[in-house]
Amino acid sequence: MELNQLTAHELLEKLKAQQTTPEAILDSLYARIQKIEPQVKAYVRGQACLPSTSSQADLPSVGDRHACPLRGLPITIKDNICTEGLPTECCSKILQGFRPPYDATVIDKLKKSGAVIFPLKANMDEFAFGSSTENSYFGPTRNPWNLDYVPGGSSGGSAAAVASDEAIWALGSDTGGSIRQPASFCGVVGLKPTYGRVSRFGLIAFASSLDQIGPITKDVQDAAILTGLISGYDPGDSTSVNQDVPDYTKSLTGDIKNLKIGIPKEYFIAGMDEEVKTIIQEAVNKLKDLGALANSVSLPHTEYAVPVYYIIATAEASSNLARFDGVQYGYRASSDNLIQMYKLTRAQGFGQEAKRRIILGTFVLSHGYYDAYYLRALKVRTLIKQDFDKVFGEFDCIVAPTSPTSAFKIGERAQDPLSMYLSDIYTISANLAGIPAISIPCGFTKKGLPVGLQIMAKPFNEAMLFRVAHTFEQNTDWHKFKTKL
Ligand code: GLN
């Protein structure tokens, strides 16, 4: 196996034993990118930004490498997480040329742990609006399992890069499924942490009450390591929670005997792909074989999750995006009239989906509609959260599909926003409730496209997710398959 094909924990072993170097790992990634990036397009702004050899890369000194847990290991970052001096444009024209003067807290933590921030950023839907990465200003990323299909979104670049070994591991962000759904479409592991577990400082906001940064990795052990490194209280984010970060690798015990697993009946509905349904049922049977006790549970307000999410998320987005007016950041249209400059900048700088969300969000917050839509959505959000509280009173975790289908074809839903929104049905409840959720590979369709299994737990119980996910993974081979690229 080439170095770029290994997991982070395998590479960390090699670095520790001095059997490889960060330079050699970077060179193997560069070679892979040269070969397949023209087809996959997981990264943005082109290979021009990529040094031709690792000798030009900004690597920690040899002394520092051995003092830090990550020892110079590279990590790929989604284009909405601020990286000092490196372009961070949310794959939007309106942020063209924006180079943040500071690092997001997660980047700061990773650098202090000895990580090398990969010089190319990962593709995404503009401002993380989407489920397919087709809304990127830079054009779509392709699914490495079949280039005619989407990689999912909005963190499609991060997921495709990890799945095709163009990255060792990556960070994404998840507001309504943007880590888990692309992880499931690309056959890799993706975790949305509990709201408040990971600092959002330096994550360009989409919907501030829902956004979380999380890992996209080749296996569960890597996800446990990375989550531990990025978690924790940050005075720079008033919604981050001051709670100890456990050593998540200690939860990889391989033991799920007598754990109580809830299977929500509302997640197995008409419209769900039959093949996906069978694969999920087989995965649940596997968990039972491994000693878990599975029972049907009810999350009765599930049917309201999509409408509630698309009210709250667009309301918050319309407010967060108000700052992009051509004055402080990125793109500015030319005009000698100030108001005209604002209008032209926003008309030319935002793509279609961003405009749709700004208009929807402004509408639900406007006088007369605020009470009818926004306030009611907040109340139903509480009911959705209470559904979970009730189930977690009796069960250790909930197991469900990540998405009702496997990856769809590029272009198939691009002109039909409603069908795109409906594909988020299984992921957005976890964001509305603030609970942690992971997606892990659990099978392939007959067409050879991956399917993801979603596991949810109560707030701050990421350890439970790692325990169940790792036990499943170690007793199946789904994570070992490689794309044919
Ligand atoms: N697909 C969802 C949306 O378009 C979720 C996106 C996300 O999690 N960033 O809003």
Side-chain angles (χ1 to χ4, degrees), residues 128-131 154 174-178 206 309-310 357 424:
F129 300 150
S131 312
S154 64
D174 191 313
T175 306
S178 277
F206 162 2
Y309 170 84
Y310 276 96
R357 303 239 178 168
D424 301 330

Side-chain angles (χ1 to χ4, degrees), residues 98-114:
F98 178 58
R99 286 169 187 254
Y102 64 95
D103 277 325
T105 299
V106 291
I107 301 297
D108 192 42
K109 280 177 180 274
L110 288 173
K111 283 185 176 170
K112 287 192 176 121
S113 299

